[in-house]
Each structure stands twice: as structure tokens, then as C-alpha cells.
Amino acid sequence: MTMLGVVLAGVLAPLRLAPTFYYWDDTAAASVGAWRAMGAAALEGRLLPLDLEMWRGGNLAAEAAFGLYNPLLTALSAATMPIDDLALVALVIKGFFFLVMALGVYLLCREYGARPWPAALAGSMLPLSGFTLWMDGAAWVTGLTVTALTPWVWYTAKRAAEARGSLLWVVLAGYLCGSAGNPYGLIATAIVIGAVIVEAFLCRRPKRTTGLVVVGIAVALLCVATYLPFVLSSSVSYRTGSQTLNDEYLSPGLTELLGLSSPSLTPYMPAFSYNYFTFPAAFLAWFVLPLAPWLRWPLLRSQARRLAGPFVFGAVYLLLLLGPSQVWFFRWPFRLIPYLWLGVVVLFAVLLSAGLDRSHARVRWLLSALAVFAGLWLAWSDMPGLTRRHVFYAGLITALLWLVLRMARRSERNLVLVALGGTLLVLVLQLRWMPVNANMSNYNFPRSESAMQETFADYGPGVTVQLAYTVGKLPTRNAEGIYQDILFGSMHSVAGVESLTAYSGVGFNALDRALCMNFQGATCREAAWEPLWEEPEGSDVVLADLLKADTVVVQRDLIDTSAEPSPEGWELTESTEFADIWRRTGTLPWPDGRLSAVSGPVEVTADQRTSEVGETVTFEREGPGRVELTFARLAWPGYTATVDGETVPVGENSVGLLTVALPAGADAGTLTLSWTPPGAQLSLAAVGLGGLAVVALAAVELRHRRSRGTDSTARRRAEPAEAPH
């Protein structure tokens, strides 16, 4: 409980200076919108693989990152739906994973023989380390999620390898980690299982390794549905051009890694908004290197086989951290640093559990002083302008180290309590100088979901097209300023507005090019207004009508459209300090569906949405010739169309909208549109095979359990009865 209390206090500490510390960057722009959409769907008893109202950001199956099929993330999304404060939603979900991480690390260290207090100290280290707290915790919640679940995969795998736990727990932990939507979780699961298998062989326990191999295969098969739509949708997204390269972006070197105990080290390398990190990205814990000279290092040699798992796991991640900056879809190696620290933490807890070695104390103090000085030098070398800060931390660490060593004479408990107290003290001081992750975007969105819905209620019903170009230079980026009229990321979805503006990690190339839109839904300064009123190539209908837009919101800093002539059928209804708001004066045809244009000799007699995604169109041909229907929906892979039960091909126009050409022989009939994630049959087959593997594992374990029970009963019966006294 002490460990969890310290971690919780550390997680809450940033809120004193930055109440929106966890409502930051991708969390605010992307994850919150996905959580609300998934949570609402879950409470209604349905999945939401495609949300048409979110447009380019609504293909949750292809985005993968939100853990659409992960029951833990779905449950958290649903459980937090009653909370109106979105910053509090982020804190609750992230706080849960911080505590899960701490407990998982504690249990894992205990499995490797660490004593309770050193294991508790280890459990506090990873959650409160620099990259985990400031980057994954503040912004990249998917990274936080898989880092939190990886120790549980390892814990269950080790227990299973030693016949002290069921392989089914490994499947559960591996699936939760792998299906969270961050592919690094699936990779971590594979590396953990591989490391445990190596350890089992070295410890001459190979019998359970076959089961672990089956577990790995089962987890991979069960996670196919999470990642296959992402791969199969790459033909329309900007993830297509992924390759292997090295541009040193977010690629650490050994010097950064050696700064793991320097609280003021902010590595100097390109990192988004700056050429350096604005927070201690490589920091693990203040006491690791200073205490290193006092640890009993021969223990690692004598127990090398038993500790092979942490050695293998850490070595693999060290190689990945020092590797190219991008391999296929995987980029920015610095994000892997929590995994390296996980291996380090386990070994540190085991060493600390053996007690401190106080022989040759002067030499050990000298080595500790060198370790502190090395941290000071590395920090000063990257940021020499912060000399006073670096010197202060060097002095603080020296004082804390003296206190820890003094308290260690009394008991292991006192050592750990002082180290934990020092951890919180160092963290509070770090936050004083580095209160936020300034490398990432602070959107400063409104926090109240209900207030946003009230503010933007007049933007519906119908599609809203927003033309706005940035959040970086907005002078009044708050609920009382520009966010009265404009939202970025997926916040329109939270506000109940159907909008083309949404955060997307995959995008939709054709529409993004047409409106010059980037990943966060912002548009370019130029070429943003005119394309709406032009006919895309191959169409005789303007883009605004093809999109079935009812409202167009234009940031005044982008272009002052109040001086522009009114497009036909539109009028400028409001001009605020920040935006011009245009609304359609007439009505669009086929208001009950998403059909937006028809070319050729045909009359559409009815168009109706039939489900969240489905649609039916009843038509009558009026003569010979090509007939094509265009729908106000993006042509994601996975669409199918039938005319009276006969499959017809689907296509897309030059701006990426779905088109269907009616067959020449169909004089009348009903067109039915449906969508399933691409590769759905292959995904179901993979999940089915994975399920069979799990059933086989369960059957084998049940048979072994019964066999052991039978043998135990037979032995008891064979034993002679005790003679009466």
C-alpha cells in the first residue's frame, strides 16, 4: 500500500501547477474523442468500428490505436462516461494504468526473488520515471497502457514457465497488452515470452516452453483483428510510405541512457517543437547509479541463469533503442526507453534485496561521487545554461544518498522509505522547473463535455466543414476564446457535431489533399476555401454538396470570408472575433441518407440509412447509359454493395468519396451498402484458430491437473495407516 500511495501521490503531483497535465496533446486531441464514442457504444451494447460522423478520424478499426476490441479499455471508456470533466476522465484512466504498472512491476520483482520492500521501491520507479510520466502519461496514453500491462505478461509467463501458474493467464495478459492498439505492446509480449523461454531452457525447465510458444501464437492470432484493418487500409492512408531509415529523430545514444539518475538531464535532440526535451526524458530514478557501488554485483553472475529473462529482455530493448530511427511502421526509438528501464528495475530490485555491501566504504563513496558527477556533467553538457539547476540536483542526490545509506544501517524498510520520500521530493522539484511536456501540443481544450455540447449545439444537424489552420499561435486558446467557434482534433465528436475535422493517425489521402488537411484536422492557410465551391475532377457537383455540408466555419485568421461573394445557396449568418460561419439556405436532396450526387439517367425514389453504417437506395433507370451514385462517406476499404442481392463494385472519386456504378442491366431495384473492417473473414479465422489454441491449452492443463490429483490420491491410499496411540 505504501508503494501505491507514493505512486498515486506522484501521479497527482503535476496537477498542482498544471491541472490539465494529463489532458494534453494526443490524449486531448484523439483519445478523449475515441473514449467517449467507444464508451457510449459500449453502454448501448454495440461495437463502433466505423463512426461516419467522425469522417477521417472515425475508422476506429483502421486507427487500431484505441483498442477497439480490448475489454479493459472498453470498460474504462464506459465507466468514465458519467464524468463530465474530460481532464478528470483522462486522469482516472491514466491513474488506473499507473497503479496497474506499479503493482505489476512489484509482483514481477517478487517472482525474481526480490524482497517486499525493494520490490515496492522498484514498483514506484517505472511509473514516476521521466518518459513514462511526462510523455506517455501526459500525451501518449497508448504507450502508458502497454507499458503498464507488459509486467503482467512477464509475471504470468514466468509463473507458467515454473508450473506455478496457468498458461491461460498469460493468454489473457498478452491479449490485453497486444490488443490495446499500440503495436509495441504486441512486440513486448513476444519479447517477454521469448525471454522467459530462454530463461526456462537455461534453468533446465524446458517442459513448459512448448506451452509458452502456443500462448505466443494464440495471442498473435487473437490480435489479428486489431491490426489487420490498419494494414489493409494503408492504400488510402498516409501510412503507405513507411520505410526503414535513420535520421536520428528521437534516437537516444548511450550518453542519454547513462543519465538515468540525473534529474535535470533534458536530452538535446530534435523532439517535436524543440531541439531538446523540455522534461527529463531519460530519467529513471535518482538513486540507481549512486547506489550502484554499494550493491552486491557478484550475485548477477552466480544467478545468471535464473535472471536470464531480465538480461535478455533488457539487451533486446537496448539494441532497439540504439537502432535506426524508423523500421517499417515503427519509429522514434526513444519511446522504447520504459521497456529498457523495466529490465533494469527488476535487476536493481534483486540486487538491493541482497543487502548493501559496506566493505571498502571509502572506495564505494568515491565511486558514488563519480556517478553523481557523471550525471551532473551529462546534464550540463546538454544544457549548459542551467548550471545552477544541475549543481543543485547533484548536491541534493548526494545528501539523499548519505541519508539512505545511514538509514540502511537500521533496516531495509527505512532504506526504502527514505528512497521513496526522496523520489517524491525530486519529482516535486522537477515539476517546479519542468511543469509540463512543452515538446507536445497543449490544446487547452474546454474541459466540460456538456458545456461544449451546449456551445456547439447550433452547428447541427448536418455536416460541418471547418477551415482553420493552427492551434500553436492562437492568442485566446480557451473555452471563452476561439473554442467558442472552433475545435481541433476529435473534439467536434465530443461536442456532438458531425465534422470533417478529426484527429487521425492514418488520415484519408484524397480528402486530405482536397482540403489541405493535416493529422489534427487543421487546414492550410492557402487553398482551403476555394476547393469547397469547385467541382472535383470527374464530377459536376461542387465539393460542399458532395459532402452534404450544412455549415462551414472559417477561421478569420485564415481568410476573411466576409468580403467573399456568397456561394450559391449559402449565406454568411455570423461573424465572430474568430470565425465566419456560413450556412446553407436551401435543403439537400435525400435527407434521410448519405447519397449526395447522381450522374446518368436514373431516378432515386428513396435513400435511407439502415444502421450505423448501412444504407439502402431504391432507384429506377430512365434510359441507357452509365449511372453512378456518390455518397457523402469516405471510401474506406471494407465497403460492399449489392443490387437486389447481386454484388456490384464500389469505387471512389477524386476526393475520396464512395461511388457505386449501377449495373447496366438493372432497370430498377434496391442498392444496399454495408461495411465491415477489411480482412474481416481472415480476422475471424485467426481469432477462431487462436480460440482453438486457448481451448487446447485449457484441456491440457485440465488433464494435467486431474492427473496430478489422481496421483496424489493414489499415493495417499498407498501410505500405511498411522498406528493408533
Side-chain angles (χ1 to χ4, degrees), residues 599-687:
S599 65
V602 69
E603 179 185 357
V604 172
T605 56
D607 174 33
Q608 184 71 45
R609 287 272 297 274
T610 56
S611 64
E612 292 296 320
V613 179
E615 188 164 354
T616 60
V617 178
T618 305
F619 65 91
E620 294 180 1
R621 185 182 285 274
E622 297 180 331
R626 174 180 171 81
V627 173
E628 184 176 79
L629 309 182
T630 302
F631 295 85
R633 53 172 79 208
L634 294 173
W636 293 108
Y639 271 107
T640 56
T642 61
V643 173
D644 296 333
E646 179 182 348
T647 301
V648 295
V650 298
E652 65 175 287
N653 65 5
S654 60
V655 293
L657 300 182
L658 184 72
T659 61
V660 179
L662 298 180
D667 294 330
T670 300
L671 167 70
T672 302
L673 273 180
S674 60
W675 182 88
T676 55
Q681 292 184 344
L682 181 57
S683 294
L684 287 174
V687 171

Side-chain angles (χ1 to χ4, degrees), residues 228-448:
L228 187 60
F230 167 81
V231 176
L232 296 182
S233 299
S234 62
S235 60
V236 300
S237 77
Y238 49 65
R239 291 292 188 185
T240 304
S242 297
Q243 55 188 316
T244 299
L245 54 87
N246 184 33
D247 57 9
E248 295 297 322
Y249 197 82
L250 288 182
S251 297
L254 287 175
T255 54
E256 284 79 24
L257 301 182
L258 290 174
L260 76 165
S261 291
S262 178
S264 61
L265 173 63
T266 51
Y268 197 89
M269 66 178 66
F272 303 105
S273 302
Y274 298 91
N275 287 323
Y276 59 92
F277 281 99
T278 62
F279 60 92
F283 179 72
L284 173 58
W286 67 267
F287 47 78
V288 176
L289 288 184
L291 265 182
W294 304 84
L295 302 177
R296 299 180 184 273
W297 291 97
L299 178 71
L300 298 184
R301 183 174 65 252
S302 63
Q303 300 191 22
R305 292 182 178 182
R306 188 176 67 84
L307 297 173
F311 281 125
V312 172
F313 185 84
V316 170
Y317 274 104
L318 178 61
L319 292 175
L320 294 176
L321 269 165
L322 300 178
S325 57
Q326 180 166 328
V327 178
W328 193 42
F329 289 118
F330 302 98
R331 57 184 180 173
W332 306 339
F334 216 122
R335 62 177 23 163
L336 299 177
I337 200 169
Y339 299 99
L340 174 63
W341 292 159
L342 175 58
V344 171
V345 161
V346 173
L347 294 174
F348 179 83
V350 172
L351 286 169
L352 188 60
S353 297
L356 301 183
D357 188 345
R358 295 183 176 276
S359 62
H360 309 291
R362 291 184 179 180
V363 175
R364 297 182 191 280
W365 264 113
L366 177 61
L367 292 175
S368 291
L370 289 175
V372 174
F373 176 76
L376 165 65
W377 182 261
L378 291 173
W380 179 82
S381 298
D382 273 3
M383 298 294 288
L386 303 177
T387 301
R388 290 185 179 180
R389 183 185 305 180
H390 304 318
V391 171
F392 170 81
Y393 274 119
L396 177 63
I397 290 174
T398 303
L400 289 173
L401 178 63
W402 176 84
L403 186 58
V404 161
L405 292 173
R406 184 175 180 84
M407 298 304 293
R409 292 181 179 274
R410 300 184 180 181
S411 69
E412 185 181 76
R413 175 179 178 272
N414 286 347
L415 180 157
V416 171
L417 289 176
V418 172
L420 289 172
T423 296
L424 289 178
L425 175 61
V426 168
L427 176 60
V428 168
L429 293 172
Q430 285 176 314
L431 289 166
R432 180 177 179 85
W433 282 311
M434 298 169 280
V436 297
N437 178 351
N439 293 94
M440 312 303 286
S441 299
N442 175 20
Y443 292 93
N444 199 29
F445 286 135
R447 295 175 54 168
S448 170

